Amino acid sequence: AQSVTQLDSHVSVSEGTPVLLRCNYSSSYSPSLFWYVQHPNKGLQLLLKYTSAATLVKGINGFEAEFKKSETSFHLTKPSAHMSDAAEYFCVVSDQWTALIFGKGTTLSLSS
Amino acid sequence: DTAVSQTPKYLVTQMGNDKSIKCEQNLGHDTMYWYKQDSKKFLKIMFSYNNKELIINETVPNRFSPKSPDKAHLNLHINSLELGDSAVYFCASSQDPRPGEQYFGPGTRLTVT
């Protein structure tokens, strides 16, 4: 069975500093992995996806994630955080029937 | 143009009532989904339809019944609403059944009193 574990429920950073949101996955086959973002009272938006192509994936708004099979990780990073990045972030794996299996989310808070 | 739309955005109702949430996508996608987000923001798949056929049906009470009149619509009907049904319900769509990115609607916040 597929699953994801987001290692931090809450991350706080200052504006302009790097962001690291950690995610480990478990999958019985080569997974498709995603990061989604949910701004307050909004729907979910895809940030980036990994589907067995390049292991370093670039997404929208300056976010990146690196797929590391040896570590079963898919951490999300951004070099410099912006106030508008404050949101809930979900690490997601896709199962064989295409349903998305969500992690429990990481709340990213920003301070100026 | 809104890609995936849901109505209503907010729904407040009493226990025991029956209610429906509608979802429409104008992306031409073949597959549509319903997800439930609980008060702790945990999201879980409920149903998935591909070309009007049910392909995923998670362990959801049979009070929940999805209906897909055509591949652009996937409605969710809930009978005999319970307090525990209070949540945000998201509709989503994707291009085909293979793993891929999904486009989410804005959500429907259901409150059962």
Side-chain angles (χ1 to χ4, degrees):
Chain A
Q2 283 65 245
S3 67
V4 289
T5 301
Q6 293 184 242
L7 300 173
D8 307 292
S9 59
H10 197 165
V11 170
S12 295
V13 301
S14 299
E15 191 176 20
T17 63
V19 175
L20 170 64
L21 305 183
R22 298 182 296 164
C23 173
N24 287 350
Y25 71 90
S26 173
S27 178
S28 52
Y29 55 89
S30 184
S32 294
L33 292 160
F34 311 82
W35 277 96
Y36 278 80
V37 61
Q38 185 179 24
H39 287 94
N41 299 313
K42 299 284 187 184
L44 292 105
Q45 182 183 21
L46 179 69
L47 272 181
L48 50 80
K49 63 179 177 181
Y50 167 79
T51 53
S52 75
T55 55
L56 181 62
V57 182
K58 293 186 184 298
I60 61 172
N61 301 331
F63 284 94
E64 291 184 349
E66 186 171 9
F67 174 74
K68 292 187 177 180
K69 187 174 181 179
S70 60
E71 299 176 10
T72 61
S73 69
F74 189 59
H75 301 336
L76 181 70
T77 60
K78 182 173 181 178
S80 176
H82 190 273
M83 294 301 289
S84 61
D85 295 328
E88 191 80 15
Y89 291 80
F90 294 96
C91 182
V92 182
V93 65
S94 180
D95 75 1
Q96 60 182 325
W97 302 112
T98 80
L100 297 182
I101 299 167
F102 285 77
K104 294 190 175 181
T106 298
T107 303
L108 176 63
S109 301
L110 275 287
S111 59
S112 57
Chain B
D1 286 343
T2 303
V4 182
S5 60
Q6 295 178 229
T7 54
K9 189 171 183 179
Y10 299 97
L11 183 54
V12 181
T13 188
Q14 292 184 329
M15 286 174 55
N17 285 348
D18 303 338
K19 290 293 179 185
S20 292
I21 306 172
K22 295 185 177 181
C23 178
E24 177 181 2
Q25 55 96 2
N26 62 7
L27 298 167
H29 288 168
D30 293 325
T31 307
M32 296 184 71
Y33 311 80
W34 277 108
Y35 290 84
K36 179 180 179 181
Q37 186 175 42
D38 64 23
S39 59
K40 295 183 180 179
K41 298 190 177 179
F42 182 59
L43 275 143
K44 188 171 181 181
I45 183 73
M46 298 174 69
F47 301 103
S48 173
Y49 269 73
N50 176 253
N51 275 325
K52 297 170 38 179
E53 290 189 20
L54 182 66
I55 58 172
I56 296 174
N57 184 354
E58 290 296 308
T59 50
V60 176
N62 57 14
R63 298 181 294 104
F64 289 78
S65 54
K67 287 184 171 55
S68 183
D70 55 60
K71 75 173 192 177
H73 296 84
L74 181 62
N75 303 324
L76 183 64
H77 189 75
I78 315 170
N79 290 327
S80 303
L81 278 156
E82 300 177 357
L83 292 176
D85 298 332
S86 295
V88 181
Y89 292 85
F90 287 98
C91 177
S93 71
S94 65
Q95 179 60 41
D96 57 36
R98 294 191 300 275
E101 64 186 83
Q102 295 182 12
Y103 293 81
F104 283 79
T108 295
R109 184 174 294 277
L110 171 65
T111 304
V112 182
T113 62

